[in-house]
Protein backbone atom coordinates (compact mmCIF):
# COMPACT_ATOMS: atom_id res chain seq x y z
CA UNK A 1 0.00 0.00 0.00
CA UNK A 2 1.38 3.43 -0.87
CA UNK A 3 2.01 5.91 1.94
CA UNK A 4 -0.51 8.34 0.44
CA UNK A 5 -3.26 5.72 0.61
CA UNK A 6 -2.72 4.86 4.29
CA UNK A 7 -4.81 7.65 5.90
CA UNK A 8 -7.77 6.96 3.62
CA UNK A 9 -7.55 3.24 4.31
CA UNK A 10 -7.17 3.81 8.05
CA UNK A 11 -10.22 6.08 8.04
CA UNK A 12 -12.34 3.60 6.12
CA UNK A 13 -11.18 0.83 8.46
CA UNK A 14 -12.23 2.86 11.49
CA UNK A 15 -15.59 3.63 9.92
CA UNK A 16 -16.23 -0.10 9.54
CA UNK A 17 -14.55 -1.40 12.70
CA UNK A 18 -16.14 1.07 15.08
CA UNK A 19 -19.47 1.37 13.27
CA UNK A 20 -19.11 5.10 12.81
CA UNK A 21 -21.94 6.89 11.05
CA UNK A 22 -21.51 10.60 10.30
CA UNK A 23 -23.88 12.71 12.39
CA UNK A 24 -25.60 15.23 10.13
CA UNK A 25 -26.90 17.22 13.09
CA UNK A 26 -23.30 17.83 14.16
CA UNK A 27 -22.25 18.73 10.62
CA UNK A 28 -19.74 15.89 10.46
CA UNK A 29 -17.70 15.58 7.27
CA UNK A 30 -14.68 13.48 8.14
CA UNK A 31 -11.31 14.22 6.62
CA UNK A 32 -10.22 10.94 5.02
CA UNK A 33 -7.55 11.91 2.46
CA UNK A 34 -4.00 12.96 3.21
CA UNK A 35 -3.55 14.98 0.02
CA UNK A 36 -4.42 18.15 1.93
CA UNK A 37 -2.36 17.42 5.05
CA UNK A 38 0.96 18.77 3.78
CA UNK A 39 -0.82 21.91 2.58
CA UNK A 40 -2.18 22.41 6.10
CA UNK A 41 1.19 21.63 7.63
CA UNK A 42 3.03 24.14 5.45
CA UNK A 43 0.48 26.85 6.20
CA UNK A 44 0.80 26.13 9.93
CA UNK A 45 4.61 26.16 9.85
CA UNK A 46 4.65 23.28 12.32
CA UNK A 47 7.53 23.24 14.76
CA UNK A 48 8.62 20.70 17.38
CA UNK A 49 8.00 23.35 20.06
CA UNK A 50 4.37 24.02 19.07
CA UNK A 51 1.39 23.26 21.26
CA UNK A 52 -1.56 22.80 18.91
CA UNK A 53 -5.30 22.82 19.49
CA UNK A 54 -7.36 20.76 17.05
CA UNK A 55 -11.14 21.09 17.29
CA UNK A 56 -13.17 18.36 15.64
CA UNK A 57 -10.92 15.30 15.77
CA UNK A 58 -13.25 13.17 13.66
CA UNK A 59 -11.51 9.95 12.64
CA UNK A 60 -8.07 11.24 13.62
CA UNK A 61 -6.50 11.76 10.18
CA UNK A 62 -5.33 15.29 10.92
CA UNK A 63 -4.47 14.32 14.51
CA UNK A 64 -2.14 11.55 13.29
CA UNK A 65 -0.40 14.06 11.04
CA UNK A 66 -0.01 16.73 13.71
CA UNK A 67 1.00 14.65 16.73
CA UNK A 68 4.51 13.56 15.63
CA UNK A 69 5.37 17.06 14.44
CA UNK A 70 4.56 19.11 17.57
CA UNK A 71 5.38 19.18 21.28
CA UNK A 72 1.79 18.63 22.39
CA UNK A 73 -1.59 18.25 20.71
CA UNK A 74 -4.98 18.94 22.29
CA UNK A 75 -7.79 17.23 20.36
CA UNK A 76 -11.37 18.29 21.12
CA UNK A 77 -14.29 16.15 19.96
CA UNK A 78 -17.95 16.49 20.93
CA UNK A 79 -19.32 13.19 19.60
CA UNK A 80 -18.78 10.45 22.19
CA UNK A 81 -19.51 7.85 19.50
CA UNK A 82 -16.15 8.77 17.95
CA UNK A 83 -14.11 8.17 21.12
CA UNK A 84 -13.13 4.56 20.24
CA UNK A 85 -12.04 5.48 16.70
CA UNK A 86 -10.13 8.55 17.90
CA UNK A 87 -8.53 6.52 20.67
CA UNK A 88 -7.35 4.05 18.03
CA UNK A 89 -5.76 6.87 16.02
CA UNK A 90 -4.13 8.57 19.00
CA UNK A 91 -2.97 5.52 20.95
CA UNK A 92 0.59 5.54 19.51
CA UNK A 93 1.27 9.11 20.68
CA UNK A 94 2.20 10.10 24.20
CA UNK A 95 1.96 13.84 23.56
CA UNK A 96 -1.78 14.03 22.87
CA UNK A 97 -4.63 14.99 25.20
CA UNK A 98 -8.10 14.02 24.00
CA UNK A 99 -10.93 16.19 25.33
CA UNK A 100 -14.40 14.76 24.78
CA UNK A 101 -16.19 18.08 25.14
CA UNK A 102 -18.18 20.80 23.41
CA UNK A 103 -15.62 23.29 22.10
CA UNK A 104 -18.21 26.08 22.16
CA UNK A 105 -18.65 25.67 25.93
CA UNK A 106 -15.25 24.48 27.14
CA UNK A 107 -12.70 26.82 28.68
CA UNK A 108 -9.80 27.03 26.23
CA UNK A 109 -7.86 29.13 28.73
CA UNK A 110 -7.68 26.10 31.05
CA UNK A 111 -5.82 23.93 28.51
CA UNK A 112 -2.40 22.86 29.78
CA UNK A 113 0.02 23.26 28.14
CA UNK A 114 -1.41 26.41 26.58
CA UNK A 115 -1.88 26.18 22.79
CA UNK A 116 0.29 28.37 20.58
CA UNK A 117 -1.48 27.41 17.34
CA UNK A 118 -4.94 26.25 16.28
CA UNK A 119 -5.04 23.78 13.38
CA UNK A 120 -8.38 22.18 12.64
CA UNK A 121 -10.99 20.85 10.26
CA UNK A 122 -13.84 22.71 11.94
CA UNK A 123 -17.47 21.60 11.96
CA UNK A 124 -19.27 24.00 9.63
CA UNK A 125 -21.93 25.14 12.07
CA UNK A 126 -19.56 26.35 14.81
CA UNK A 127 -16.46 27.34 12.84
CA UNK A 128 -16.67 31.13 13.25
CA UNK A 129 -17.75 30.83 16.89
CA UNK A 130 -14.83 28.56 17.76
CA UNK A 131 -12.28 30.72 15.95
CA UNK A 132 -13.40 33.94 17.63
CA UNK A 133 -13.61 32.22 21.02
CA UNK A 134 -10.09 30.85 20.67
CA UNK A 135 -8.75 34.32 19.78
CA UNK A 136 -10.18 35.65 23.06
CA UNK A 137 -9.30 32.71 25.31
CA UNK A 138 -5.86 31.71 23.99
CA UNK A 139 -3.57 34.75 24.36
CA UNK A 140 -0.48 32.64 23.58
CA UNK A 141 -1.91 31.44 20.26
CA UNK A 142 -0.49 33.36 17.32
CA UNK A 143 -1.55 31.33 14.27
CA UNK A 144 -4.77 29.69 13.11
CA UNK A 145 -5.07 27.38 10.10
CA UNK A 146 -8.60 26.09 9.75
CA UNK A 147 -10.59 24.22 7.16
CA UNK A 148 -14.04 25.81 7.04
CA UNK A 149 -16.97 26.29 4.71
CA UNK A 150 -15.91 28.59 1.89
CA UNK A 151 -18.55 31.16 2.84
CA UNK A 152 -17.19 31.33 6.40
CA UNK A 153 -13.65 31.84 5.13
CA UNK A 154 -14.81 34.64 2.84
CA UNK A 155 -16.74 36.26 5.69
CA UNK A 156 -13.69 36.19 7.96
CA UNK A 157 -11.53 37.84 5.30
CA UNK A 158 -14.14 40.29 3.93
CA UNK A 159 -13.38 44.00 3.81
CA UNK A 160 -15.61 47.00 4.64
CA UNK A 161 -18.32 47.68 2.09
CA UNK A 162 -18.64 44.11 0.87
CA UNK A 163 -21.82 42.08 1.27
CA UNK A 164 -20.06 39.49 3.43
CA UNK A 165 -18.38 41.96 5.79
CA UNK A 166 -19.94 41.77 9.24
CA UNK A 167 -19.31 41.29 12.94
CA UNK A 168 -17.31 38.10 12.34
CA UNK A 169 -15.04 39.92 9.87
CA UNK A 170 -14.46 42.91 12.13
CA UNK A 171 -13.77 40.90 15.28
CA UNK A 172 -11.35 38.53 13.54
CA UNK A 173 -9.50 41.34 11.79
CA UNK A 174 -9.13 43.48 14.90
CA UNK A 175 -7.00 40.71 16.37
CA UNK A 176 -5.50 39.02 13.30
CA UNK A 177 -4.34 39.40 9.75
CA UNK A 178 -6.76 37.14 7.89
CA UNK A 179 -6.23 35.62 4.46
CA UNK A 180 -8.00 33.02 2.36
CA UNK A 181 -6.03 29.86 1.73
CA UNK A 182 -6.59 27.37 -1.03
CA UNK A 183 -9.93 25.80 -1.84
CA UNK A 184 -10.30 22.24 -0.63
CA UNK A 185 -11.77 19.52 -2.90
CA UNK A 186 -14.97 17.97 -1.63
CA UNK A 187 -13.52 14.52 -2.24
CA UNK A 188 -11.18 14.74 0.78
CA UNK A 189 -14.24 14.37 3.05
CA UNK A 190 -16.65 11.57 3.94
CA UNK A 191 -19.49 12.06 3.36
CA UNK A 192 -18.84 14.42 0.47
CA UNK A 193 -20.28 17.82 1.55
CA UNK A 194 -22.68 19.81 -0.58
CA UNK A 195 -20.77 23.04 0.04
CA UNK A 196 -17.25 24.12 -0.84
CA UNK A 197 -14.51 24.32 1.76
CA UNK A 198 -11.45 26.48 2.09
CA UNK A 199 -8.48 26.99 4.34
CA UNK A 200 -8.38 30.25 6.24
CA UNK A 201 -5.14 31.46 7.82
CA UNK A 202 -5.15 33.99 10.64
CA UNK A 203 -2.01 35.44 12.20
CA UNK A 204 -2.36 37.41 15.43
CA UNK A 205 -1.29 41.03 15.38
CA UNK A 206 0.73 42.39 18.28
CA UNK A 207 -1.39 43.73 21.09
CA UNK A 208 -4.34 42.44 23.10
CA UNK A 209 -7.55 40.95 21.77
CA UNK A 210 -10.46 43.35 21.23
CA UNK A 211 -11.81 44.49 24.62
CA UNK A 212 -15.36 43.50 25.67
CA UNK A 213 -16.56 47.04 24.94
CA UNK A 214 -15.49 46.76 21.29
CA UNK A 215 -16.99 43.29 20.91
CA UNK A 216 -20.32 44.44 22.34
CA UNK A 217 -20.50 47.46 20.03
CA UNK A 218 -19.58 45.44 16.95
CA UNK A 219 -22.28 42.84 17.64
CA UNK A 220 -24.86 45.58 18.22
CA UNK A 221 -23.76 47.58 15.18
CA UNK A 222 -24.33 44.67 12.80
CA UNK A 223 -27.48 43.36 14.50
CA UNK A 224 -29.70 45.44 12.19
CA UNK A 225 -27.78 45.68 8.92
CA UNK A 226 -30.41 47.74 7.11
CA UNK A 227 -30.41 50.44 9.76
CA UNK A 228 -27.94 53.25 10.26
CA UNK A 229 -25.31 52.36 12.84
CA UNK A 230 -26.54 54.85 15.49
CA UNK A 231 -30.05 53.45 15.24
CA UNK A 232 -28.80 49.91 15.53
CA UNK A 233 -26.86 50.78 18.70
CA UNK A 234 -29.94 52.44 20.17
CA UNK A 235 -31.88 49.18 19.71
CA UNK A 236 -29.31 47.13 21.66
CA UNK A 237 -30.67 45.73 24.96
CA UNK A 238 -29.53 47.98 27.78
CA UNK A 239 -28.25 50.72 25.46
CA UNK A 240 -27.33 53.92 27.37
CA UNK A 241 -29.68 56.88 26.87
CA UNK A 242 -28.55 59.27 24.16
CA UNK A 243 -26.23 56.80 22.45
CA UNK A 244 -27.84 57.45 19.06
CA UNK A 245 -26.88 61.14 19.07
CA UNK A 246 -23.44 60.42 20.53
CA UNK A 247 -22.78 57.84 17.81
CA UNK A 248 -23.82 60.29 15.10
CA UNK A 249 -21.36 62.85 16.43
CA UNK A 250 -18.52 60.32 16.67
CA UNK A 251 -19.17 59.07 13.13
CA UNK A 252 -18.81 62.63 11.85
CA UNK A 253 -15.55 62.94 13.81
CA UNK A 254 -14.28 59.78 12.08
CA UNK A 255 -15.12 61.26 8.69
CA UNK A 256 -18.29 59.25 8.03
CA UNK A 257 -21.86 60.46 7.47
CA UNK A 258 -23.79 60.51 10.75
CA UNK A 259 -26.20 57.94 9.29
CA UNK A 260 -23.47 55.55 8.09
CA UNK A 261 -24.11 51.83 8.34
CA UNK A 262 -21.81 49.50 10.23
CA UNK A 263 -20.43 47.86 7.08
CA UNK A 264 -18.94 51.20 5.98
CA UNK A 265 -16.51 51.28 8.92
CA UNK A 266 -13.19 49.43 9.04
CA UNK A 267 -12.57 47.22 12.08
CA UNK A 268 -10.25 49.74 13.72
CA UNK A 269 -12.81 52.51 13.24
CA UNK A 270 -15.42 50.37 14.99
CA UNK A 271 -12.98 49.89 17.86
CA UNK A 272 -12.37 53.65 18.03
CA UNK A 273 -16.11 54.25 18.06
CA UNK A 274 -16.52 51.78 20.93
CA UNK A 275 -13.81 53.51 22.94
CA UNK A 276 -15.49 56.91 22.46
CA UNK A 277 -19.03 55.85 23.42
CA UNK A 278 -20.58 54.70 26.70
CA UNK A 279 -20.16 50.90 26.95
CA UNK A 280 -22.94 48.60 25.85
CA UNK A 281 -23.76 45.51 27.96
CA UNK A 282 -21.53 42.59 26.93
CA UNK A 283 -23.14 39.61 25.28
Amino acid sequence: MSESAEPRQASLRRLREFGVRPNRELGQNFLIDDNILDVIGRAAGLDARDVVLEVGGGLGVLSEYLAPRVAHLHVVELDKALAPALGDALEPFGNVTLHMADAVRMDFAALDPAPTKVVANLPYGVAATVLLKSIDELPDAHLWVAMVQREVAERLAAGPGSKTYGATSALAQLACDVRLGRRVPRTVFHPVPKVESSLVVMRRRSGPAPPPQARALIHAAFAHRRKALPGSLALAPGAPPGIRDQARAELARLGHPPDARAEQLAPQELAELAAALPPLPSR
Side-chain angles (χ1 to χ4, degrees), residues 37-52 62 65-71 73 117-119 143 145:
L37 296 180
D38 284 334
V39 176
I40 295 172
R42 286 194 297 271
L46 297 174
D47 185 278
R49 297 166 294 180
D50 290 334
V51 178
V52 171
L62 181 57
Y65 178 87
L66 295 170
R69 292 170 168 83
V70 301
L73 175 65
K117 293 179 180 178
V118 177
V119 183
L143 183 67
V145 178

Side-chain angles (χ1 to χ4, degrees), residues 39-111:
V39 176
I40 295 172
R42 286 194 297 271
L46 297 174
D47 185 278
R49 297 166 294 180
D50 290 334
V51 178
V52 171
L53 169 62
E54 178 194 359
V55 175
L59 296 174
V61 170
L62 181 57
S63 309
E64 289 175 306
Y65 178 87
L66 295 170
R69 292 170 168 83
V70 301
H72 194 88
L73 175 65
H74 294 283
V75 180
V76 180
E77 177 53 59
L78 171 62
D79 189 357
K80 293 181 180 179
L82 294 177
L86 260 179
D88 179 74
L90 302 177
E91 191 276 332
F93 307 106
N95 64 332
V96 179
T97 305
L98 175 58
H99 307 266
M100 299 304 299
D102 183 350
V104 173
R105 291 182 170 83
M106 75 180 293
D107 182 8
F108 290 158
L111 293 173

Side-chain angles (χ1 to χ4, degrees), residues 20 47 125 145 156 164 180 206 227 251 265 274 281:
V20 174
D47 185 278
V145 178
L156 286 161
T164 51
L180 287 175
S206 59
K227 289 188 174 293
L251 283 170
L265 275 69

Side-chain angles (χ1 to χ4, degrees), residues 42-262:
R42 286 194 297 271
L46 297 174
D47 185 278
R49 297 166 294 180
D50 290 334
V51 178
V52 171
L53 169 62
E54 178 194 359
V55 175
L59 296 174
V61 170
L62 181 57
S63 309
E64 289 175 306
Y65 178 87
L66 295 170
R69 292 170 168 83
V70 301
H72 194 88
L73 175 65
H74 294 283
V75 180
V76 180
E77 177 53 59
L78 171 62
D79 189 357
K80 293 181 180 179
L82 294 177
L86 260 179
D88 179 74
L90 302 177
E91 191 276 332
F93 307 106
N95 64 332
V96 179
T97 305
L98 175 58
H99 307 266
M100 299 304 299
D102 183 350
V104 173
R105 291 182 170 83
M106 75 180 293
D107 182 8
F108 290 158
L111 293 173
D112 185 24
T116 57
K117 293 179 180 178
V118 177
V119 183
N121 170 34
L122 289 171
Y124 289 155
V126 298
T129 300
V130 168
L131 289 172
L132 294 178
K133 172 184 167 69
S134 63
I135 289 172
D136 293 338
E137 297 183 4
L138 297 176
D140 293 332
H142 59 90
L143 183 67
W144 288 255
V145 178
M147 191 135 51
V148 298
Q149 185 176 343
R150 181 74 181 177
E151 290 180 1
V152 173
E154 290 173 345
R155 195 180 312 141
L156 286 161
S162 68
K163 292 181 179 180
T164 51
Y165 178 70
T168 297
S169 322
L171 290 168
Q173 292 170 37
L174 274 177
C176 300
D177 291 316
V178 183
R179 68 174 180 85
L180 287 175
R182 64 174 288 179
R183 295 191 178 214
V184 179
R186 299 180 188 184
T187 53
V188 306
F189 301 103
H190 173 81
V192 177
K194 296 180 180 179
V195 297
E196 291 189 345
S197 300
S198 176
L199 289 179
V200 63
V201 180
M202 308 195 306
R203 191 176 299 275
R204 190 187 292 273
R205 294 195 181 99
S206 59
Q213 184 173 347
R215 294 200 298 271
L217 179 136
I218 288 169
H219 282 298
F222 285 97
H224 306 277
R225 290 188 68 99
R226 295 185 179 182
K227 289 188 174 293
L229 192 156
S232 189
L233 297 184
L235 290 172
I243 195 168
R244 183 197 303 265
D245 291 337
Q246 291 171 289
R248 288 172 62 86
E250 289 299 327
L251 283 170
R253 184 183 63 81
L254 290 171
H256 289 280
D259 57 352
R261 293 183 179 181

